[in-house]
Amino acid sequence: NAGVIQTPRHKVTGKGQEATLWCEPISGHSAVFWYRQTIVQGLEFLTYFRNQAPIDDSGMPKERFSAQMPNQSHSTLKIQSTQPQDSAVYLCASSLDSGTEVFFGKGTRLTVV
Amino acid sequence: AQSVTQPDARVTVSEGASLQLRCKYSYSATPYLFWYVQYPRQGLQLLLKYYSGDPVVQGVNSFEAEFSKSNSSFHLQKASVHWSDSAVYFCALLNTGNYKYVFGAGTRLKVIA
């Protein structure tokens, strides 16, 4: 069990460019979560899938952020027209079911310059 | 609305000393509660969880936590800390209505010689 795998670990983009972050959940886990972590805001919930279906995206900034889960083995978080304030560590997590503990990946550190 | 408060942003203790990290929660029903630890450049790792039953739960690396419904608390404890325990500790609550996790702001623990 390799755990939740996130790629890349680090990404640097120029302001206005697009960034796509990848997450491979633990095999067999039905729930996938995305969080954003910054020093100022701490851990912020972004979005949540269960059995590949989007359940709750209430934490997603509406205009430039989107998330997909095209199959049970990966999810993507796409940020269009990145801005410096998008710089953060983006954490993906999965859980066996909605009511159990989540397992986190190591995160992708996004730096927008 | 549910919330998790970790009142201590930073805690410093001497190696071998006992430790308590505080966590207070606000939730209308009986919560599912968790403690996670984050080491530098890593994702969050589960230390222990409480769903129901015995209010004292044991976790990894000799950590334990005690749930108190009357105090709305879930404090983390360890009898004797090691320098390798230096990390950021997060208390979290699972809203069993919408299956969203709510995290506290974290407590940065520094263990000194």
Side-chain angles (χ1 to χ4, degrees), chain A residues 9 33 35 37 39 43 45 48 50 56 58 91 95 98-106, chain B residues 32 34 36 38 41-46 49 51 90 94 98-101 103-105 108:
Chain A
R9 290 294 313 278
F33 303 81
Y35 290 85
Q37 187 177 26
I39 299 292
L43 272 162
F45 168 82
Y48 155 44
R50 187 167 66 225
D56 185 338
S58 59
L91 292 168
S95 65
S98 300
T100 59
E101 70 266 26
V102 287
F103 294 82
F104 284 83
K106 294 183 178 180
Chain B
Y32 288 4
F34 307 84
Y36 285 86
Q38 186 176 34
R41 295 173 297 282
Q42 300 290 317
L44 280 69
Q45 300 171 30
L46 180 70
K49 61 190 178 188
Y51 289 167
F90 292 93
L94 174 64
N98 60 17
Y99 295 110
K100 284 171 65 172
Y101 291 82
F103 286 87
R108 184 175 297 274

Side-chain angles (χ1 to χ4, degrees), chain B residues 5-13 18-24 35-37 47 63-66 73-78 81 85-91 106-111:
Chain B
T5 301
Q6 295 178 247
D8 304 309
R10 295 176 181 271
V11 170
T12 300
V13 297
S18 62
L19 169 71
Q20 183 185 72
L21 300 183
R22 295 184 292 163
C23 173
K24 299 274 285 185
W35 274 99
Y36 285 86
V37 60
L47 278 178
F63 283 96
E64 67 175 35
E66 183 169 3
S73 66
F74 189 55
H75 300 330
L76 181 70
Q77 299 172 50
K78 187 170 184 177
V81 297
D85 293 325
S86 296
V88 182
Y89 292 78
F90 292 93
C91 182
T107 297
R108 184 175 297 274
L109 173 66
K110 183 177 180 180
V111 180

Side-chain angles (χ1 to χ4, degrees), chain B residues 56-82:
Chain B
V56 179
V57 291
Q58 306 296 322
V60 300
N61 295 336
S62 302
F63 283 96
E64 67 175 35
E66 183 169 3
F67 169 68
S68 171
K69 188 172 182 179
S70 60
N71 294 324
S72 298
S73 66
F74 189 55
H75 300 330
L76 181 70
Q77 299 172 50
K78 187 170 184 177
S80 176
V81 297
H82 187 264

